[in-house]
Amino acid sequence: METDFALKNLAPSWDHPFGTDWMGRDMLLRTLAGLSTSVLVGLLAAGVSSVIALVLGAAAALGGKKVDAAVTWLIDLMMGVPHIVLLILISFALGKGFWGVTIGVAVTHWPSLARVVRAEILQCKESTFVAAARKLGQSPARIAVKHMLPYVLPQFLVGLILLFPHAILHEAAITFLGFGLPPEQPAIGVILSESMGYLSAGMWWLAVFPGLALIATVLLFDVAGSNLRKLVDPHSSQE
C-alpha cells in the first residue's frame, strides 16, 4: 500500500523484481498480498462449500427417496446455472467485499463434490462389509463412523483440495469485473483490473507477473489434488 511517486512506472529490476505501478508501489509485494487474500478466500469458501457438500451428499444417500430426489434436483439446478453469473448475483446482493465474495463462492461450488459424496456413500451402503456389520448387530451410527467415514474421507479430501483452484479463480474473476473485493484492497483481481488501463503504455509487467503468480498458485493446488487422488485411488496407488 505504500506509495512513492519518485519510483513510479519502473520496469522490473533487482530492486523491484515485478516493477512498480503508477503510484510507485512495489508490484512484488502487492502480488504477494493479493495472493494471500485470494488464498484466504479460497480456504474459507472451499471449507464451507465442502461441509455443505458433505451434509447434502450424506442426506441424499441416507435420507430416503424423497430427500435424495430433493437434493438431486437442487444439485442439477445449481449446476444448470453458470457459476460466474450466480456468483456475481450473490456477491452483489451481499454488498460485495470480502464476505460477499467468500459467501458467494461457498454457496456455488458444492454441487460437484456433493454428487461425488452421494455416490461414494451409496456404493459403501451396498457393500458386503456394511451388510456384514448390519447382520452382526452394529448400530447405524457405529457403521457410519467405523465404515462409511473412512470409505468416503479420501475422496472428500481430494474434492476439498480441488475446490481451492476454482474458488481462487472465481474470486479473481468477479473482482476483475468489479463485483468482488474493493479497489483499495490489494487483490489479484484488483491488480489485473487496474493494469488494463496501462498496458497500451507499455507497462506489461503490471499484468504479466500477477497473472503468472495466480496461474502458478492455481496449478499448485490442482497438482496437489491430482497427486492425492492418485494416492487414494486403489487403481493407481501403486503407480
Side-chain angles (χ1 to χ4, degrees):
M1 301 296 293
E2 183 179 351
T3 61
D4 186 351
F5 288 96
L7 301 175
K8 67 178 183 178
N9 301 332
L10 294 181
S13 63
W14 287 111
D15 293 330
H16 303 283
F18 285 13
T20 62
D21 64 3
W22 59 95
M23 297 179 69
R25 295 174 296 191
D26 186 83
M27 290 304 298
L28 174 59
L29 296 179
R30 283 182 63 78
T31 299
L32 293 176
L35 283 177
S36 66
T37 303
S38 296
V39 169
L40 180 59
V41 171
L43 287 172
L44 291 174
V48 173
S49 190
S50 63
V51 172
I52 296 174
L54 180 62
V55 171
L56 291 179
L62 304 174
K65 292 184 178 180
K66 291 185 178 180
V67 177
D68 187 20
V71 174
T72 302
W73 174 82
L74 184 59
I75 291 174
D76 292 337
L77 177 65
M78 294 291 292
M79 296 188 73
V81 180
H83 266 175
I84 194 69
V85 174
L86 188 59
L87 183 51
I88 288 174
L89 291 175
I90 294 174
S91 177
F92 188 78
L94 296 176
K96 300 186 288 186
F98 179 85
W99 290 110
V101 174
T102 303
I103 294 173
V105 174
V107 300
T108 56
H109 284 68
W110 57 266
S112 297
L113 183 55
R115 181 172 286 178
V116 171
V117 170
R118 172 184 173 274
E120 290 292 321
I121 293 179
L122 286 174
Q123 186 176 358
C124 180
K125 187 179 177 182
E126 301 300 325
S127 62
T128 54
F129 59 87
V130 170
R134 288 198 192 98
K135 290 186 177 181
L136 290 173
Q138 293 187 7
S139 65
R142 181 174 175 81
I143 292 175
V145 173
K146 190 175 180 180
H147 299 289
M148 291 187 176
L149 183 60
Y151 188 90
V152 175
L153 187 60
Q155 295 297 332
F156 174 75
L157 291 177
V158 171
L160 171 61
I161 293 176
L162 291 177
L163 277 177
F164 288 145
H166 290 280
I168 293 171
L169 279 177
H170 280 108
E171 177 274 321
I174 66 168
T175 300
F176 178 83
L177 295 173
F179 296 98
L181 299 174
E184 66 272 9
Q185 187 169 359
I188 294 296
V190 173
I191 292 172
L192 294 176
S193 178
E194 292 176 344
S195 68
M196 292 298 101
Y198 295 86
L199 290 180
S200 59
M203 298 168 63
W204 53 269
W205 58 87
L206 297 180
V208 171
F209 290 124
L212 290 176
L214 176 63
I215 293 173
T217 303
V218 169
L219 289 177
L220 179 64
F221 281 113
D222 189 60
V223 169
S226 299
N227 289 335
L228 182 59
R229 173 178 287 173
K230 291 179 182 178
L231 290 175
V232 301
D233 186 357
H235 300 291
S236 61
S237 59
Q238 301 301 322
E239 293 180 358

